[in-house]
Amino acid sequence: VSHEGLVRKGFGLRRQVAGDLSRDYHSQLVARAREAGHELRWPGLALRIATEFGFCYGVERAVDYAYETRMKFPDRRRFITGEIIHNPRVNTRLRELGFEFLDGTGGSEAQVEDIRSDDVVLLPAFGVTTEMLTRLRETGALLVDTTCGSVLAVWKNVERYARDGFTCLIHGKWNHEETRATASRALLYPEGRYLVVLDLDEAQAVADHITGRGDAAAFLDRFGEVVSPGFDPDRHLDRVGMANQTTMLSSESLRIAGLIGRAMVERWGRKEAAERFRSFDTICSATQDRQDAVLALMKQPPDLAIVIGGFNSSNTGHLAEICSERCPTFHVETAEDLLSAAEIRHRPIGRREPATARAWLPDGPVEIGLTAGASTPDREIGRVIERLCTLRGVSPDEQVD
Ligand code: SF4
């Protein structure tokens, strides 16, 4: 236990749970693809797979700690605040292993109020808000914290901004647990404030306000939900520190930082703006590597791309966005989404709800680009590959060179 009632480093049972993890998440086919230079070929079907895909270090660690927790406390009640990561199969598996979700995931009915001091509660890879942490601490339960080190690094920046009187301008999704948790860190300091922008369009409205082209009432109408209590755009944009959710599209985060930086220079002049504007790129390396790999894959666009990951997975959505600029792209959650050679269930870019597309798989030889988000287990990727083989009438074991 590294802190009173809070465990940050697991229980040293990594080797003991390795077999269970492998049984639940490993795929022979995907292991073979990694060895074979990320290309697999069958008659009439070629798969090119991004060089970086699937589970990131933060997700591996979170899932590992969940399994360790179960091994360490087989007889205690075990809870998770919400989805441990954004993958439906992993969450379902944890439910089967006896974890209850405090946010109702998978039909759980448990509430924070039900937690007792002899329970164990897992905190997810994207962290929890300071308010939730306080409530959980008050229960006296043992907390197993799987918050990723890359998220903790963002919090450090945000807290430094808040301490120094800078408003934290966060490029992120307000409905994402990580962004809520990150924003809450700003309020640990009396001068702390935050504002969350989703995209370039919202950032432009902030830049306009900084340069004196905005109206406070209209600003608060637009951003009312995603600013800290008592936020005054006329006063609180005079010192700005940028951060981002770790899984955003890195090119967009960079453009937003550039846009706000230029607005600050226009408003204050170069010298003073240097004192009033700070920026750190807080995209995590796993997200960056996966985006870079998919950009490399798309240099020679395949006939179509399949991107595998939870429909609510931020980083998966951005991988699909990158692919969709180069070829027809289908973001699927599981192998079952490949309904038939004629129909595929997928989440269209920029939309929340899935839809069914028709005539997605061309007749004749086809080359498919494949990647998967940081919360997608190899097992699911392998199942999608097997499903593609079935739809093409080839056996996964009969590859050609
Ligand atoms: S996507 Fe990045 S920040 Fe999130 S868990 Fe993985 S490594 Fe950590």
Side-chain angles (χ1 to χ4, degrees):
V1 177
S2 53
H3 203 284
E4 195 194 339
L6 190 112
V7 176
R8 277 199 204 280
K9 295 199 187 305
F11 298 102
L13 297 170
R14 177 166 275 236
R15 289 231 317 277
Q16 288 86 327
V17 298
D20 287 350
L21 286 169
S22 166
R23 182 200 60 215
D24 289 347
Y25 304 119
H26 181 76
S27 156
Q28 280 288 91
L29 199 49
V30 174
R32 215 188 302 155
R34 285 200 167 94
E35 281 162 21
H38 293 244
E39 290 200 6
L40 296 173
R41 290 182 185 280
W42 295 267
L45 172 65
L47 292 185
R48 282 201 289 127
I49 307 173
T51 53
E52 296 282 345
F53 63 92
F55 271 14
C56 59
Y57 48 86
V59 164
E60 291 243 16
R61 184 169 153 277
V63 176
D64 174 72
Y65 284 8
Y67 279 61
E68 288 193 24
T69 301
R70 172 172 166 265
M71 183 170 274
K72 178 87 179 170
F73 302 109
D75 302 325
R76 291 221 212 163
R77 299 197 310 166
R78 298 181 296 276
F79 298 90
I80 308 183
T81 54
E83 298 193 358
I84 183 165
I85 56 170
H86 288 146
N87 186 273
R89 247 186 239 282
V90 176
N91 290 307
T92 302
R93 185 74 193 120
L94 291 182
R95 186 106 206 267
E96 290 163 3
L97 295 177
F99 286 91
E100 289 285 312
F101 292 78
L102 296 175
D103 69 346
T105 295
S108 291
E109 287 177 2
Q111 310 268 321
V112 180
E113 292 72 32
D114 305 329
I115 306 283
R116 301 187 307 242
S117 58
D118 56 348
D119 293 335
V120 187
V121 184
L122 213 63
L123 312 186
F126 16 70
V128 295
T129 61
T130 53
E131 187 199 346
M132 179 58 122
L133 187 59
T134 304
R135 287 177 69 199
L136 290 172
R137 275 186 183 284
E138 282 166 5
T139 66
L142 179 67
L143 307 183
V144 180
D145 185 3
T146 78
T147 308
C148 179
S150 297
V151 174
L152 294 175
V154 184
W155 292 0
K156 230 176 171 179
N157 279 317
V158 163
E159 288 170 27
R160 203 175 300 137
Y161 295 150
R163 192 192 59 207
D164 295 347
F166 283 62
T167 290
C168 305
L169 181 50
I170 303 165
H171 175 214
K173 296 172 183 161
W174 183 241
N175 61 7
H176 193 289
E177 297 93 321
E178 182 191 317
T179 287
R180 297 240 178 172
T182 296
S184 77
R185 306 304 295 190
L187 302 185
L188 290 174
Y189 292 84
E191 287 293 288
R193 290 177 205 95
Y194 63 79
L195 161 63
V196 177
V197 292
L198 176 65
D199 53 21
L200 264 173
D201 192 46
E202 292 195 355
Q204 184 64 55
V206 176
D208 288 345
H209 206 88
I210 290 171
T211 52
R213 287 189 280 268
D215 165 76
F219 188 96
L220 288 174
D221 253 5
R222 181 166 188 177
F223 292 104
E225 239 226 319
V226 297
V227 295
S228 46
F231 191 85
D232 177 355
D234 290 344
R235 290 189 298 129
H236 296 149
L237 290 172
D238 57 358
R239 277 197 171 73
V240 176
M242 301 284 316
N244 40 254
Q245 189 178 315
T246 53
T247 50
M248 299 308 274
L249 191 58
S250 81
S251 55
E252 188 175 46
S253 278
L254 284 176
R255 286 173 72 189
I256 287 175
L259 182 70
I260 302 296
R262 283 191 300 280
M264 292 298 276
V265 169
E266 186 181 329
R267 167 71 180 81
W268 300 99
R270 191 162 294 281
K271 197 155 164 272
E272 203 173 332
E275 304 289 310
R276 291 176 176 273
F277 177 68
R278 293 187 194 166
S279 179
F280 285 96
D281 175 4
T282 55
I283 300 285
C284 75
S285 60
T287 296
Q288 188 70 57
D289 290 347
R290 278 156 190 68
Q291 290 180 8
D292 290 348
V294 96
L295 277 166
L297 183 70
M298 289 295 135
K299 275 202 177 129
Q300 283 180 311
D303 297 315
L304 63 106
I306 293 186
V307 180
I308 311 158
F311 287 147
N312 57 351
S313 158
S314 165
N315 81 91
T316 308
H318 293 308
L319 295 176
E321 209 174 315
I322 295 172
C323 292
S324 70
E325 284 166 11
R326 275 92 177 169
C327 66
T329 297
F330 303 98
H331 172 179
V332 300
E333 213 166 44
T334 67
E336 284 69 33
D337 288 330
L338 282 65
L339 302 169
S340 66
E343 288 189 329
I344 191 167
R345 178 176 172 268
H346 71 123
R347 193 185 85 148
I349 306 301
R351 296 244 298 276
R352 285 179 83 96
E353 298 303 321
T356 301
R358 292 186 174 76
W360 66 280
L361 188 61
D363 293 332
V366 63
E367 184 183 79
I368 299 179
L370 199 80
T371 190
S375 44
T376 311
D378 279 4
R379 166 67 50 92
E380 197 56 53
I381 303 164
R383 293 181 71 246
V384 168
I385 298 175
E386 283 165 14
R387 180 83 184 128
L388 282 168
C389 288
T390 305
L391 296 179
R392 264 297 140 111
V394 293
S395 156
D397 294 328
E398 288 166 11
Q399 289 168 52
V400 292
D401 290 331

Tab-separated table of all heavy atoms in Angstrom, residues 140-163:
chain	number	residue	atom	x	y	z
A	140	GLY	N	-13.774	4.547	3.349
A	140	GLY	CA	-12.787	3.731	4.049
A	140	GLY	C	-12.388	2.488	3.270
A	140	GLY	O	-11.573	1.689	3.725
A	141	ALA	N	-12.955	2.274	2.082
A	141	ALA	CA	-12.615	1.090	1.278
A	141	ALA	C	-11.180	1.206	0.773
A	141	ALA	O	-10.622	2.309	0.689
A	141	ALA	CB	-13.574	0.986	0.101
A	142	LEU	N	-10.600	0.058	0.421
A	142	LEU	CA	-9.264	0.082	-0.182
A	142	LEU	C	-9.411	0.496	-1.645
A	142	LEU	O	-10.203	-0.094	-2.385
A	142	LEU	CB	-8.643	-1.319	-0.105
A	142	LEU	CG	-7.259	-1.428	-0.735
A	142	LEU	CD1	-6.230	-0.616	0.059
A	142	LEU	CD2	-6.820	-2.890	-0.814
A	143	LEU	N	-8.670	1.518	-2.055
A	143	LEU	CA	-8.756	1.996	-3.440
A	143	LEU	C	-7.543	1.502	-4.225
A	143	LEU	O	-6.406	1.676	-3.773
A	143	LEU	CB	-8.805	3.527	-3.465
A	143	LEU	CG	-9.880	4.191	-2.598
A	143	LEU	CD1	-9.851	5.707	-2.781
A	143	LEU	CD2	-11.270	3.646	-2.923
A	144	VAL	N	-7.797	0.896	-5.359
A	144	VAL	CA	-6.702	0.454	-6.231
A	144	VAL	C	-6.707	1.393	-7.434
A	144	VAL	O	-7.619	1.367	-8.261
A	144	VAL	CB	-6.896	-1.013	-6.673
A	144	VAL	CG1	-5.751	-1.449	-7.577
A	144	VAL	CG2	-7.000	-1.920	-5.457
A	145	ASP	N	-5.695	2.228	-7.489
A	145	ASP	CA	-5.673	3.311	-8.472
A	145	ASP	C	-4.923	2.871	-9.724
A	145	ASP	O	-3.728	2.595	-9.669
A	145	ASP	CB	-4.985	4.521	-7.826
A	145	ASP	CG	-5.031	5.746	-8.725
A	145	ASP	OD1	-5.650	5.659	-9.801
A	145	ASP	OD2	-4.455	6.777	-8.342
A	146	THR	N	-5.624	2.808	-10.864
A	146	THR	CA	-4.935	2.429	-12.116
A	146	THR	C	-4.740	3.649	-13.026
A	146	THR	O	-4.441	3.493	-14.204
A	146	THR	CB	-5.704	1.325	-12.892
A	146	THR	OG1	-6.812	1.902	-13.594
A	146	THR	CG2	-6.205	0.225	-11.978
A	147	THR	N	-4.928	4.862	-12.485
A	147	THR	CA	-4.773	6.058	-13.330
A	147	THR	C	-3.416	6.011	-14.049
A	147	THR	O	-2.369	5.849	-13.417
A	147	THR	CB	-4.850	7.339	-12.477
A	147	THR	OG1	-6.029	7.296	-11.695
A	147	THR	CG2	-4.865	8.575	-13.363
A	148	CYS	N	-3.459	6.184	-15.365
A	148	CYS	CA	-2.235	6.071	-16.171
A	148	CYS	C	-1.242	7.194	-15.839
A	148	CYS	O	-1.652	8.341	-15.608
A	148	CYS	CB	-2.619	6.137	-17.640
A	148	CYS	SG	-1.197	6.026	-18.729
A	149	GLY	N	0.036	6.872	-15.862
A	149	GLY	CA	1.071	7.869	-15.596
A	149	GLY	C	0.985	9.056	-16.551
A	149	GLY	O	1.281	10.193	-16.173
A	150	SER	N	0.543	8.809	-17.796
A	150	SER	CA	0.447	9.913	-18.764
A	150	SER	C	-0.693	10.856	-18.395
A	150	SER	O	-0.635	12.047	-18.689
A	150	SER	CB	0.234	9.363	-20.179
A	150	SER	OG	1.347	8.596	-20.559
A	151	VAL	N	-1.737	10.340	-17.755
A	151	VAL	CA	-2.826	11.207	-17.286
A	151	VAL	C	-2.332	12.003	-16.066
A	151	VAL	O	-2.588	13.212	-15.955
A	151	VAL	CB	-4.082	10.368	-16.938
A	151	VAL	CG1	-5.166	11.233	-16.304
A	151	VAL	CG2	-4.626	9.677	-18.188
A	152	LEU	N	-1.593	11.328	-15.194
A	152	LEU	CA	-1.054	12.037	-14.019
A	152	LEU	C	-0.150	13.192	-14.461
A	152	LEU	O	-0.120	14.252	-13.826
A	152	LEU	CB	-0.249	11.069	-13.128
A	152	LEU	CG	-1.057	9.946	-12.455
A	152	LEU	CD1	-0.134	8.989	-11.708
A	152	LEU	CD2	-2.109	10.511	-11.502
A	153	ALA	N	0.565	13.000	-15.572
A	153	ALA	CA	1.450	14.069	-16.074
A	153	ALA	C	0.626	15.279	-16.525
A	153	ALA	O	1.021	16.427	-16.318
A	153	ALA	CB	2.298	13.536	-17.233
A	154	VAL	N	-0.529	15.038	-17.128
A	154	VAL	CA	-1.402	16.151	-17.526
A	154	VAL	C	-1.879	16.890	-16.279
A	154	VAL	O	-1.882	18.121	-16.221
A	154	VAL	CB	-2.640	15.647	-18.322
A	154	VAL	CG1	-3.477	16.822	-18.799
A	154	VAL	CG2	-2.226	14.787	-19.493
A	155	TRP	N	-2.276	16.125	-15.258
A	155	TRP	CA	-2.767	16.737	-14.018
A	155	TRP	C	-1.704	17.652	-13.413
A	155	TRP	O	-2.019	18.724	-12.904
A	155	TRP	CB	-3.146	15.658	-12.997
A	155	TRP	CG	-4.350	14.854	-13.395
A	155	TRP	CD1	-5.091	15.005	-14.539
A	155	TRP	CD2	-4.953	13.786	-12.669
A	155	TRP	NE1	-6.117	14.084	-14.552
A	155	TRP	CE2	-6.058	13.326	-13.430
A	155	TRP	CE3	-4.664	13.158	-11.463
A	155	TRP	CZ2	-6.873	12.281	-13.011
A	155	TRP	CZ3	-5.475	12.117	-11.028
A	155	TRP	CH2	-6.563	11.692	-11.796
A	156	LYS	N	-0.472	17.198	-13.482
A	156	LYS	CA	0.631	17.993	-12.917
A	156	LYS	C	0.695	19.363	-13.594
A	156	LYS	O	0.820	20.395	-12.949
A	156	LYS	CB	1.950	17.257	-13.172
A	156	LYS	CG	2.805	17.106	-11.954
A	156	LYS	CD	3.980	16.290	-12.391
A	156	LYS	CE	5.035	16.235	-11.348
A	156	LYS	NZ	6.137	15.411	-11.795
A	157	ASN	N	0.600	19.359	-14.936
A	157	ASN	CA	0.612	20.628	-15.683
A	157	ASN	C	-0.569	21.503	-15.290
A	157	ASN	O	-0.416	22.701	-15.050
A	157	ASN	CB	0.552	20.367	-17.189
A	157	ASN	CG	1.901	20.010	-17.757
A	157	ASN	OD1	2.902	20.620	-17.410
A	157	ASN	ND2	1.935	19.011	-18.605
A	158	VAL	N	-1.737	20.899	-15.256
A	158	VAL	CA	-2.948	21.652	-14.943
A	158	VAL	C	-2.843	22.260	-13.534
A	158	VAL	O	-3.190	23.419	-13.310
A	158	VAL	CB	-4.182	20.717	-15.084
A	158	VAL	CG1	-5.398	21.285	-14.382
A	158	VAL	CG2	-4.485	20.478	-16.556
A	159	GLU	N	-2.343	21.486	-12.606
A	159	GLU	CA	-2.222	22.003	-11.232
A	159	GLU	C	-1.204	23.139	-11.168
A	159	GLU	O	-1.384	24.107	-10.438
A	159	GLU	CB	-1.849	20.864	-10.275
A	159	GLU	CG	-3.028	19.928	-10.059
A	159	GLU	CD	-2.659	18.650	-9.311
A	159	GLU	OE1	-1.686	18.670	-8.524
A	159	GLU	OE2	-3.331	17.624	-9.541
A	160	ARG	N	-0.154	23.026	-11.956
A	160	ARG	CA	0.850	24.102	-11.979
A	160	ARG	C	0.232	25.384	-12.550
A	160	ARG	O	0.429	26.466	-12.016
A	160	ARG	CB	2.067	23.673	-12.807
A	160	ARG	CG	3.332	24.430	-12.434
A	160	ARG	CD	4.534	23.887	-13.180
A	160	ARG	NE	4.796	22.488	-12.911
A	160	ARG	CZ	5.131	21.584	-13.842
A	160	ARG	NH1	5.222	21.921	-15.104
A	160	ARG	NH2	5.375	20.337	-13.505
A	161	TYR	N	-0.525	25.252	-13.630
A	161	TYR	CA	-1.214	26.423	-14.198
A	161	TYR	C	-2.105	27.063	-13.136
A	161	TYR	O	-2.093	28.276	-12.933
A	161	TYR	CB	-2.124	26.030	-15.371
A	161	TYR	CG	-1.451	25.487	-16.611
A	161	TYR	CD1	-2.106	24.572	-17.422
A	161	TYR	CD2	-0.183	25.913	-16.994
A	161	TYR	CE1	-1.524	24.072	-18.572
A	161	TYR	CE2	0.399	25.414	-18.153
A	161	TYR	CZ	-0.273	24.491	-18.931
A	161	TYR	OH	0.297	24.004	-20.064
A	162	ALA	N	-2.909	26.216	-12.483
A	162	ALA	CA	-3.899	26.728	-11.516
A	162	ALA	C	-3.181	27.432	-10.356
A	162	ALA	O	-3.595	28.505	-9.926
A	162	ALA	CB	-4.758	25.573	-11.016
A	163	ARG	N	-2.117	26.829	-9.895
A	163	ARG	CA	-1.356	27.410	-8.783
A	163	ARG	C	-0.816	28.789	-9.171
A	163	ARG	O	-0.791	29.720	-8.377
A	163	ARG	CB	-0.197	26.456	-8.437
A	163	ARG	CG	0.514	26.766	-7.141
A	163	ARG	CD	1.792	25.957	-7.060
A	163	ARG	NE	2.667	26.256	-8.188
A	163	ARG	CZ	3.563	25.417	-8.702
A	163	ARG	NH1	3.705	24.216	-8.217
A	163	ARG	NH2	4.319	25.786	-9.734
